[in-house]
Amino acid sequence: MQSTILQMLREHPGDFVSGEAMCNTLGVSRTAVWKHIKDLQDAGYQIEAVRNKGYRLQSSPDLVTAAEIRDGLSTTVLGQTIVYRETIDSTNNLAQELANNGAMEGTLVIADEQQQGRGRRGRNWFSPPHSGVWMSLILRPQLPLAHAAQITLVTAIALAKALTRLTGVQAGIKWPNDILFNKKKCCGILTEMHAEFDQIHHLVLGIGINVNVPQEDFPEDIQHIATSLQAVKGTPIPRAKVVQVVLEELEPLYRQYVADGGFGTLRDQWKAHNITLGNEIIAHTAQGTIQGRALDIDEFGVLLVEQPDGEQKKIYSADIMFA
Ligand code: BTX
């Protein structure tokens, strides 16, 4: 109901919407409308209330609540169900739990703050309140298990496009799961899956984006490697807008990935947004360290590296650094 009230107020920028119009649209009493207005005010919305005129929205706080994300979202699958928490351990944990209990494809779990945000291999992901997008999507692609990991690469394309659109500055993909601006990380992807035999039950696609995190707030150990959209653009960006643009960029790419049975047909788009290929890199893999020039990725998203002696190696999973 609060979403509808907000939508009505936003459809009349600078104007009053009468209490009566709201009662009629929502089919509730004036007291009920007033109560919802009060809740919105308590959440930080500045809403002017004038007798005989109604209500006027003066300003909105930067929230990632379901109501804010829904307002203006044009996707048809991703984010049709939204679960919001003010604070949480990790959105990936709640998404796993909801997925195990049958949550629908496209369900979005999002939090204002994560207390135990995580990256790959048990690393921490810094997720302070009021300034980032920390979210997880539940996906149920009908694909063989071997193609599941490619969703990270598909998502990286969507993120590079979305973050470029939002900032006006070119974002680049660092294989496999980072989005960088000027070699600094503003976004990471953590894909976790639940599968049986050769079938994917569900994927939990975790996405962390530093939107308006002040540079001085990053912990010392990541000060020099982290950046935010605000720092890149020079002005703050509403976080709900960031979520909408990301979902809108991801939905068609995800659809194509499922329809085509993998990442292959999206490979050229990935290449167009990548900043990995052609560079000297150091790759830390479970089997050891490989240094060389990143040559290409194949249709499965596997990275091909040429070592100084000319030998070529395939890298399936690694942390890479630019040499
Ligand atoms: P990753 O393992 O590639 O990167 C983790 C590393 O990135 C850390 O060790 C640290 O050096 C650095 N780092 C930590 N926090 C930040 C940050 N805010 N900005 C830039 N660099 C940072 C990347 O893993 C995957 C991150 C996914 C995060 C999302 S948030 C929603 C979902 N829930 C959850 O717990 N994780 C995902």
Side-chain angles (χ1 to χ4, degrees):
M1 196 160 293
Q2 280 183 13
S3 307
T4 316
I5 292 180
L6 269 181
Q7 198 183 340
M8 288 181 82
L9 291 169
R10 286 193 170 136
E11 277 166 5
H12 300 88
D15 282 341
F16 284 92
V17 179
S18 75
E20 194 185 349
M22 287 189 183
C23 294
N24 292 341
T25 305
L26 298 166
V28 297
S29 69
R30 274 179 184 251
T31 320
V33 167
W34 168 240
K35 206 188 147 297
H36 286 298
I37 294 279
K38 189 88 191 47
D39 287 346
L40 286 168
Q41 287 171 330
D42 288 346
Y45 293 88
Q46 289 194 344
I47 301 171
E48 190 183 1
V50 176
R51 192 189 285 267
N52 296 329
K53 280 190 169 174
Y55 303 102
R56 177 162 65 175
L57 182 63
Q58 292 175 310
S59 70
S60 303
D62 180 28
L63 301 178
V64 283
T65 54
E68 283 293 335
I69 294 168
R70 247 179 232 130
D71 184 20
L73 180 67
S74 66
T75 54
T76 57
V77 177
L78 303 184
Q80 296 309 291
T81 303
I82 301 173
V83 178
Y84 168 76
R85 294 283 187 276
E86 204 168 307
T87 184
I88 200 167
D89 51 357
S90 155
T91 54
N92 267 34
N93 290 351
L94 179 56
Q96 281 287 0
E97 198 181 311
L98 296 175
N100 287 334
N101 288 311
M104 276 182 18
E105 156 116 322
T107 298
L108 176 73
V109 179
I110 185 157
D112 188 58
E113 171 190 25
Q114 292 187 122
Q115 301 205 324
Q116 287 166 44
R118 59 173 186 268
R120 296 180 306 155
R121 300 163 204 231
R123 287 185 287 243
N124 288 332
W125 183 258
F126 176 63
S127 319
H130 318 314
S131 51
V133 162
W134 326 123
M135 69 183 196
S136 304
L137 280 165
I138 296 170
L139 302 175
R140 300 182 181 281
Q142 298 290 307
L143 287 173
L145 200 52
H147 295 293
Q150 296 161 18
I151 186 67
T152 300
L153 304 176
V154 176
T155 306
I157 303 171
L159 284 164
K161 286 179 153 184
L163 304 190
T164 300
R165 223 172 105 190
L166 286 158
T167 57
V169 179
Q170 189 66 49
I173 304 170
K174 190 180 103 182
W175 186 92
N177 71 322
D178 291 336
I179 309 298
L180 312 188
F181 283 102
N182 301 323
K183 298 208 166 163
K184 285 188 167 185
K185 185 153 149 177
C186 79
C187 172
I189 306 165
L190 176 68
T191 305
E192 295 176 325
M193 78 172 136
H194 184 71
E196 240 172 348
F197 305 110
D198 189 33
Q199 205 54 44
I200 302 169
H201 266 237
H202 63 255
L203 297 177
V204 168
L205 181 61
I207 298 173
I209 309 170
N210 304 321
V211 180
N212 300 318
V213 181
Q215 191 65 32
E216 62 274 18
D217 284 9
F218 286 113
E220 216 176 294
D221 59 323
I222 58 169
Q223 266 289 340
H224 57 296
I225 57 162
T227 190
S228 69
L229 300 187
Q230 172 172 8
V232 170
K233 189 174 186 210
T235 51
I237 303 178
R239 289 179 296 158
K241 177 77 186 163
V242 173
V243 177
Q244 290 172 347
V245 173
V246 168
L247 297 183
E248 285 162 12
E249 290 290 354
L250 181 57
E251 190 164 277
L253 293 170
Y254 175 64
R255 203 165 267 149
Q256 186 174 341
Y257 158 73
V258 175
D260 295 352
F263 164 74
T265 58
L266 296 168
R267 183 172 158 223
D268 287 343
Q269 284 198 56
W270 186 93
K271 285 189 178 186
H273 291 278
N274 101 90
I275 50 161
T276 314
L277 304 183
N279 287 309
E280 286 296 317
I281 60 156
I282 301 163
H284 298 287
T285 75
Q287 289 74 40
T289 301
I290 295 168
Q291 184 157 356
R293 198 159 66 89
L295 285 185
D296 204 355
I297 54 164
D298 68 15
E299 74 266 37
F300 305 108
V302 175
L303 185 66
L304 191 62
V305 173
E306 185 180 49
Q307 295 179 302
D309 62 3
E311 192 193 342
Q312 295 187 0
K313 287 249 170 169
K314 283 185 168 185
I315 301 185
Y316 296 85
S317 165
D319 285 317
I320 67 165
M321 287 163 51
F322 294 110

